[in-house]
Amino acid sequence: MIRMYDILKRNENFANSNKEQITKSAKSQNPVCAVVSCSDSRVPPELLFEAKLGELFTIRTAGGIIDNAGLASLEYAIEYLNVKTVLVLGHTNCGAVTHAQEELIHKHQPPSHEKSHLDDVISEIYKNIEGNKQNLTDLNHAIIDNLKAQVNKINEDPVISRSNAEILLYLYNIETGKVSQVKKDIEFNVRKKKLKNL
Ligand SMILES: [Zn+2]
């Protein structure tokens, strides 16, 4: 397992090997889009999209839940960095959504005593997925319902909705390394087909 020492040491290597892009990005940033995604260590947008410094404006939280600070970050990207696209990126096997799904299956209610901020997040995901019975058995379906709730929240932000920024919804597959666009129920049908083939 990698140690903290090694991680810090890698920064030396990064600084030495990327002088050109560091110098260029130090002058200004011009991100292609803002990305809203999960904090899961396996899904860093900059690596998945082979992005360089200054190319992606990322907001990452547990379960990709957008809070006021997340909305403020998007407003900043749109108003001050001229970002025109918001990419809401979910991922398969999301631990936060799995946790909320388990509460839904076993306890039939969101965490009642909100003892921690994590409970608040799980409770919010729970509310985003509880309305559809398919979410009891289909984790990808629950993940996408949670993503859609984030899109709704982003759309309700007056600054963002006034800007007419495009909002795209994608799912990253942690097993293949590929992203696919979420269009209505296509992903669910693909998954069902796979299940039938087993
Ligand atoms: Zn996740």
Side-chain angles (χ1 to χ4, degrees):
M1 205 168 108
I2 191 156
R3 295 166 305 164
M4 198 56 218
Y5 170 81
D6 301 315
I7 285 288
L8 293 171
K9 196 81 188 148
R10 281 185 191 174
N11 174 253
E12 228 173 86
N13 187 38
F14 167 79
N16 291 331
S17 320
N18 296 282
K19 282 187 177 147
E20 198 183 326
Q21 60 162 311
I22 292 167
T23 309
K24 195 177 157 207
S25 66
K27 289 173 192 143
S28 65
Q29 58 171 321
N30 189 21
V32 183
C33 65
V35 186
V36 175
S37 70
C38 185
S39 297
D40 192 304
S41 60
R42 300 165 296 179
V43 297
E46 290 84 353
L47 289 180
L48 314 183
F49 297 112
E50 296 191 327
K52 294 192 167 64
L53 298 175
E55 290 183 342
L56 294 181
F57 188 92
T58 53
I59 296 139
R60 300 180 66 186
T61 63
I65 289 291
I66 276 277
D67 57 7
N68 285 347
L71 289 172
S73 305
L74 284 177
E75 288 177 1
Y76 177 79
I78 289 166
E79 289 226 302
Y80 293 92
L81 303 176
N82 208 23
V83 161
K84 304 239 183 296
T85 304
V86 176
L87 177 61
V88 179
L89 180 68
H91 70 97
T92 59
N93 286 13
C94 182
V97 181
T98 303
H99 192 145
Q101 188 194 44
E102 280 166 3
E103 300 275 329
L104 187 63
I105 295 168
H106 302 296
K107 296 186 186 158
H108 317 294
Q109 58 183 19
S112 49
H113 305 291
E114 291 169 355
K115 292 174 286 211
S116 64
H117 291 98
L118 182 58
D119 275 346
D120 291 344
V121 165
I122 299 304
S123 182
E124 182 168 340
I125 298 173
Y126 183 105
K127 286 166 191 160
N128 293 338
I129 67 172
E130 69 179 336
N132 191 320
K133 254 201 281 184
Q134 202 174 340
N135 291 336
L136 289 165
T137 52
D138 189 334
L139 180 60
N140 278 355
H141 195 284
I143 287 166
I144 289 169
D145 271 357
N146 183 50
L147 287 181
K148 286 177 179 169
Q150 305 319 306
V151 172
N152 289 340
K153 211 190 274 185
I154 294 167
N155 272 328
E156 282 165 14
D157 182 287
V159 175
I160 301 170
S161 65
R162 253 201 326 271
S163 74
N164 288 324
E166 177 186 33
I167 302 175
L168 300 175
L169 198 51
Y170 272 77
L171 186 69
Y172 172 73
N173 186 324
I174 64 164
E175 279 155 19
T176 64
K178 290 183 180 171
V179 297
S180 53
Q181 191 164 14
V182 177
K183 286 179 188 161
K184 294 181 181 169
D185 290 339
I186 290 171
E187 275 70 20
F188 316 145
N189 294 335
V190 169
R191 190 167 182 276
K192 271 180 206 154
K193 267 186 210 155
K194 275 188 197 153
L195 289 174
K196 268 184 205 162
N197 291 340
L198 289 173

